[in-house]
Amino acid sequence: MQASQENTITGGSRLFFNQPLRDKESYCWSCIQNVPHYQCSADVSIQGLHLSADTFEQHCTLESSSGTGGSCAARSSQSTTTSFSPNESGISQQNSQSYPSDVHDSPDQTSGSQTSESYVTHKLRELETAMLGPDLDVPNSFNNDIMRAGDNNQTSTETDKWKFLGDVISRGDLREGLCVCARFLEDGDMFTVDWLIGELRAMVSVSGEPIQRLGAYAVEGLVARLASSGSAIYKALRCKEPVLPASMELLSYMHLLYEICPYFKFGYMSANGAIAEAIKEEKRIHIIDFQISQGTQWITLIKALAAQPGGPPHIRITGIDDSTSAYARGGGLNIVGKRLTMLAQEYEVPFEFNAVSGVPSSEIQVENLKIQPGEAIAVNFALTLHHMPDESVGTQNHRDRLLRMVKGLSPKVVTLVEQESNTNTAPFFARFVETLNYYSAIFESIDVALPREHKERINVEQHCLAREVVNIIACEGAERVERHELLGKWRSRFTMAGFKPYPLSSHVNGTIKALLGEYSGKYTLEEKDGALYLGWMDRHLVSSCAWR
C-alpha cells in the first residue's frame, strides 16, 4: 500500500488521491468543490484549446448530452476535493464516510437485488420481458467462474474464492476484475469488495488504454455507490451556477468531443432531415426542442430552409433549457435566441424564438409551448428523453406523459435520437456490465480520434463522460438520471402513445454516409425498420428515428 500522493495533469488541475485502506473503513468520492454547495472551481487553465469569439459565432459547439440532474440533495455534509491522477483512480478518503456493514440495509445502497426493488419495478421488469424479451444478457465472457465466485449460495470454499480472485488480478484482467467486484457488491460481500477495489485502483489509469480509463471511472462509481455519494458527484461535475471562465472551459471540452466523434452530428443531421422532409410544403412551422442546449442543431436547418424553392417558411423555435447547457454557454436561453435570430436575419428567414426557462423538461405543459393556430409542428427529442423519469422511478411517469402530450399537438413529425444502451430498469450487475460494454466502445472511438498523450483528452472524458458512468453505476431511484433504453422499448412507448413510424429518407442516409467518410472506418451505419443506427465496430451506440 502506497502513501498518499499529489499530482498535476495537463491544464493545471491539482489532483489528489489516496490508496485504499484494506479494512472496512470509509469511502468517499473526491469532488471538485464542497458537496453541499455544488460550487465549481474555475482555476483550471486550458492549454492549446481556446474557444474564441469567432469560433463561437461559427456555431461549432457541442450540445450537452447531459441530463437535468438528480432532484435529491447530496447526503454528505462533508467537504471533499476532487481529482484524478494520470496513473490512478481519483478517490480521496479525506473527510470520508463510513459505509454500512450490510449494504442490503438501505434501498439506496443496494445493488439492485430483488429484495431491495420496489414491487412495482419488479413487475414492470416482468412485463417488459414478456413484451420485449430479456433486458440484456450478461456476455459469455463473464463466465461461470465469476458467477460461482460471487455466489454466496455455492459450496465453493473461501480458499477457492481467493484463488480465483488472485488469478484474475495476477492476469491483469481489468474488465473481469471490475465485473467480479460489482458481483460481490451486489451480494453484499464488503470485505471482498474492499480488497478488490484496492487491487483495481492499481490497474486503472485515466491516461492508459481505453479500458483502463473507463475502469478509473467505473471504480469511482462503485465506491460512490458504497458511500451513497453518486448524486452529489453527478451534480458536482455538472456545476450548478454559471461562472464564465469555467463555463467556457466546459464549452471547449464539449466542442472537442463534438468534433472528434460523429455521434452528435449523426443525431442532428438525421433529425433535421426528417423535419425538413415533413414540413417542406408548410408556410409556418413551429419546432419544439426539448433540450435546445446551444441551438447548434438548427443552424444548418435554417440555412437549408432559406434556400428552398419559393422562399423560406416562417420559423418559430421553442427552446427548453437544462442547467448543464446554461452553465456551458454562461447564461440563459436569450443567448441562443440572439444567435439564431441573427442567423435568420442574415439569411432573410422570418424567425421567432420562444424561450422556456425555469421549467424542467419533464414538467413541461402545453401552455408553456405557446402553440398558435395554423402552425405545422415538429418536435425534437435529441438525447434527452432518457433523462425523464418513468414508471419505474415513481408514480409520475413523465416519460410517457410527455409523449401523450406531444401526440395531442398533432405534430407533423417527432424526432428521437437516443443512446442505444439498456440501463433504465436493468438490475445492478447487468447494468454494470452493459455500462462497461457501451462506454468501452465510446472510449475506444476517442482513442482512435485523439492521441492518448493529447493534453485535453483526460478533461474531455472526465467532464463529458465520467459523470454519466458514475451516475449509472452509483445511483438508484430518482437520483439515477441517466436511464437509457434500447430503440425497441422506445418504439413500444411511442406506439402506445398513438404514434406511427415516419421512415427516414434515402437522402438523409446518403448524407450521413458521407459524414462518416470523414471519420474512422470502424464506424458503422445500419438502416433497419425505418431507423438508423450509428455504431462502433459491432456495437450500436446511437439510434435515430422519426414518428408522426
Side-chain angles (χ1 to χ4, degrees), residues 17 42 58 84 112 116 119 174 181 200 214 224 229 260 263 275 290 338 421 440 455 468 496:
F17 68 90
Q58 291 173 3
F84 289 90
S116 66
Y119 176 80
L174 177 56
C181 187
L200 291 171
L214 173 59
S229 59
I260 64 176
Y263 306 121
I275 292 172
F290 271 82
K338 288 179 180 178
S421 181
S440 287
K455 54 191 174 183
E468 297 181 6
M496 287 188 290

Side-chain angles (χ1 to χ4, degrees), residues 447-517:
D447 206 51
V448 170
L450 204 61
R452 197 167 298 170
E453 65 275 10
H454 194 289
K455 54 191 174 183
E456 296 302 343
R457 184 196 47 73
I458 294 175
N459 287 328
V460 167
E461 292 174 348
Q462 180 177 338
H463 286 274
C464 301
L465 298 174
R467 67 192 301 265
E468 297 181 6
V469 173
V470 172
N471 183 259
I472 294 169
I473 294 173
C475 296
E476 296 294 346
E479 292 181 346
R480 182 150 59 86
V481 179
E482 303 294 338
R483 291 178 167 271
H484 306 111
E485 292 185 321
L486 299 175
L487 182 54
K489 292 190 177 181
W490 289 118
R491 277 200 179 101
S492 295
R493 293 187 186 276
F494 273 80
T495 300
M496 287 188 290
F499 288 99
K500 295 182 179 179
Y502 185 93
L504 300 175
S505 70
S506 58
H507 175 72
V508 173
N509 301 352
T511 302
I512 293 175
K513 287 180 181 177
L515 167 70
L516 293 184

Side-chain angles (χ1 to χ4, degrees), residues 122-319:
H122 178 60
K123 288 301 180 184
L124 284 169
R125 285 186 189 151
E126 289 183 346
L127 180 60
E128 285 180 345
T129 300
M131 295 176 61
L132 305 170
D135 243 343
L136 51 86
D137 294 324
V138 176
N140 292 331
S141 58
F142 306 114
N143 54 42
N144 292 332
D145 287 337
I146 297 178
M147 301 308 171
R148 286 197 295 269
D151 193 342
N152 292 333
N153 295 322
Q154 293 291 332
T155 58
S156 58
T157 66
E158 282 293 299
T159 301
D160 292 336
K161 181 183 79 171
W162 288 104
K163 181 180 178 181
F164 165 74
L165 294 177
D167 178 63
V168 170
I169 298 302
S170 64
R171 285 189 284 107
D173 193 332
L174 177 56
R175 181 182 295 271
E176 187 173 8
L178 289 166
C179 291
V180 170
C181 187
R183 181 60 182 265
F184 278 110
L185 195 158
E186 183 174 61
D187 290 340
D189 187 344
M190 293 298 99
F191 182 83
T192 305
V193 169
D194 174 60
W195 181 84
L196 278 168
I197 285 176
E199 298 299 322
L200 291 171
R201 280 184 183 159
M203 300 168 66
V204 302
S205 170
V206 295
S207 58
E209 299 282 339
I211 186 59
Q212 289 179 297
R213 306 198 309 264
L214 173 59
Y217 303 123
V219 169
E220 311 302 5
L222 292 170
V223 173
R225 188 176 182 87
L226 290 170
S228 299
S229 59
S231 180
I233 298 163
Y234 189 78
K235 294 175 182 179
L237 291 177
R238 185 190 71 226
C239 300
K240 191 174 182 180
E241 298 297 331
V243 180
L244 187 57
S247 66
M248 295 306 290
E249 172 194 337
L250 178 58
L251 195 59
S252 66
Y253 298 146
M254 291 178 174
H255 167 67
L256 183 56
L257 184 60
Y258 178 81
E259 290 299 323
I260 64 176
C261 297
Y263 306 121
F264 303 98
K265 291 180 182 178
F266 159 79
Y268 299 155
M269 289 176 65
S270 57
N272 284 355
I275 292 172
E277 179 72 20
I279 52 88
K280 60 185 177 183
E281 304 294 335
E282 304 293 337
K283 298 301 181 184
R284 296 182 61 85
I285 63 173
H286 183 180
I287 299 171
I288 302 170
D289 190 343
F290 271 82
Q291 185 174 298
I292 196 165
S293 301
Q294 317 304 324
T296 306
Q297 177 175 351
W298 308 118
I299 294 167
T300 55
L301 184 63
I302 290 174
K303 292 179 179 179
L305 293 177
Q308 74 177 11
H314 181 280
I315 303 174
R316 190 155 69 95
I317 294 180
T318 289

Side-chain angles (χ1 to χ4, degrees), residues 77-88:
S77 61
Q78 297 169 315
S79 174
T80 51
T81 311
T82 300
S83 48
F84 289 90
S85 159
N87 299 313
E88 300 282 350

